[in-house]
Amino acid sequence: LELKARQWTETNHSCGLLVQPANQSQHLAEHLLEKKYSLVPDINITPPGTIIIDLAPEEDTLFKNLTKPKRKNIRRAIKEQVTFKVGKTHDCLNIFYQLYLNTSSYLEFEPDSIERFENIWDNLSPKGHILFFTCYFQDQPVSSIMALSFCKTIFSHRFGWSKAYPEKRPNDYLYWETIRWAKQNGYRYFDFGEIHLDAARKFTQTDVVPPEYTKSIESFKMGFGGKAVLYPETYIYIQNSVFRWLYRNIIVYFIDFPPVQKLLSTVSG
């Protein structure tokens, strides 16, 4: 498969190919280095740090694995009549995107374009691999997860919240109901998506939220009882042999410089 990917890259006149091995694929990482790939620091296809919940235990056990504040918040949301819906339509994408834009505004990050999400939708929706989990209060969408399904895993790809009704704890309820849905529909794992790599490394060593992440998205995700997972990092194969040598021997030492970051983004498409 890796060989075919390289051949496709050459046929289509692409500058290079980025490959990120699957979890626990150390042998593939070693193979890539033998084939003249190079490690690309700080650029990844899939976030290298995440939280994953094994859905094999009974639902009651999964609920008990949540922190006490999480359980309290979920009961609060139920009492306040926050509702939960699952959808696969384009209208669900539009609802999600507006909530996502709102989140980008108050968290002050650059949002992905609607075109990017439309592209994901066009490619994954025909086979049902994209889902939207949304919480409502009084028929008003409050928070939403855009999720991707692959094999036995539901991946939380992006999240959006209107920032309304925080006292009703819609976000804790949203993630819990999404976890329940994934289990009830035969999935084995729920992947929370990216967390800070430093937090993931520390959490894998102690199973305790590091003090510096107590009030963070990392803490929020860790409260659901999952385990931190470190995925392999990304490797790059550069078609041009001269530029490949320059990268491996010179450019890699200046990887954090903005011009180099821009060049790598161009190479990766």
Side-chain angles (χ1 to χ4, degrees), residues 5-265:
R6 269 195 291 137
Q7 290 172 342
W8 183 92
T9 302
E10 183 176 356
T11 301
N12 288 272
H13 307 291
S14 297
C15 297
L17 173 67
L18 290 175
V19 175
Q20 186 174 13
N23 191 25
Q24 299 178 338
S25 295
Q26 187 58 38
H27 64 285
L28 178 54
E30 294 171 355
H31 168 78
L32 294 176
L33 291 173
E34 292 174 358
K35 295 297 180 179
K36 298 183 179 180
Y37 281 76
S38 300
L39 184 65
V40 187
D42 302 324
I43 293 181
N44 293 286
I45 301 168
T46 297
T50 187
I51 299 289
I52 293 180
I53 292 180
D54 185 341
L55 302 175
E58 295 297 323
E59 188 175 305
D60 287 347
T61 301
L62 291 175
F63 191 72
K64 289 177 182 177
N65 289 340
L66 273 58
T67 61
K68 185 177 180 179
K70 286 279 188 252
R71 297 195 298 269
K72 181 180 178 181
N73 290 344
I74 291 165
R75 294 188 182 105
R76 174 70 180 272
I78 294 171
K79 182 179 179 180
E80 296 285 348
Q81 298 184 328
V82 176
T83 58
F84 171 81
K85 296 181 181 180
V86 184
K88 299 182 180 180
T89 68
H90 195 275
D91 285 344
C92 296
L93 170 60
N94 292 332
I95 291 170
F96 157 78
Y97 191 69
Q98 291 306 310
L99 293 168
Y100 167 75
L101 284 181
N102 192 75
T103 303
S104 72
S105 177
Y106 69 75
L107 290 183
E108 299 181 344
F109 66 83
E110 185 67 27
D112 292 329
S113 67
I114 185 60
E115 288 77 17
R116 177 184 181 277
F117 290 106
E118 292 279 3
N119 184 50
I120 295 174
W121 166 264
D122 291 341
N123 284 279
L124 298 184
S125 64
K127 293 187 178 181
H129 292 310
I130 181 169
L131 305 108
F132 299 92
F133 303 96
T134 307
C135 272
Y136 292 77
F137 181 69
Q138 297 179 343
D139 296 325
Q140 176 186 341
V142 180
S143 57
S144 183
I145 296 170
M146 176 182 175
L148 311 178
S149 66
F150 179 72
C151 293
K152 297 182 179 181
T153 304
I154 290 288
F155 296 87
S156 175
H157 181 62
R158 291 290 188 274
F159 165 79
W161 178 33
S162 67
K163 215 177 181 183
Y165 310 112
E167 74 283 358
K168 302 185 186 302
R169 307 303 189 220
N171 300 334
D172 288 319
Y173 185 62
L174 172 65
Y175 274 91
W176 169 242
E177 286 297 313
T178 301
I179 290 166
R180 288 185 66 229
W181 184 94
K183 178 175 177 58
Q184 293 169 1
N185 285 270
Y187 291 93
R188 177 61 190 274
Y189 302 101
F190 178 76
D191 188 321
F192 276 88
E194 182 175 10
I195 66 171
H196 196 284
L197 187 55
D198 174 66
R201 287 171 175 155
K202 292 178 179 178
F203 195 46
T204 55
Q205 296 169 357
T206 64
D207 278 343
V208 175
V209 178
E212 61 269 37
Y213 293 99
T214 300
K215 296 181 179 180
S216 67
I217 188 62
E218 284 77 15
S219 176
F220 175 84
K221 294 178 178 181
M222 290 173 184
F224 286 88
K227 298 291 184 182
V229 173
L230 297 172
Y231 286 117
E233 296 182 84
T234 298
Y235 294 79
I236 187 170
Y237 179 81
I238 299 172
Q239 291 286 358
N240 184 284
S241 60
V242 174
F243 186 68
R244 185 165 63 241
W245 183 92
L246 287 172
Y247 176 84
R248 292 165 66 95
N249 293 277
I250 299 176
I251 296 176
V252 70
Y253 298 105
F254 301 93
I255 197 72
D256 291 327
F257 282 51
V260 176
Q261 291 287 315
K262 184 176 180 180
L263 179 60
L264 288 174
S265 297

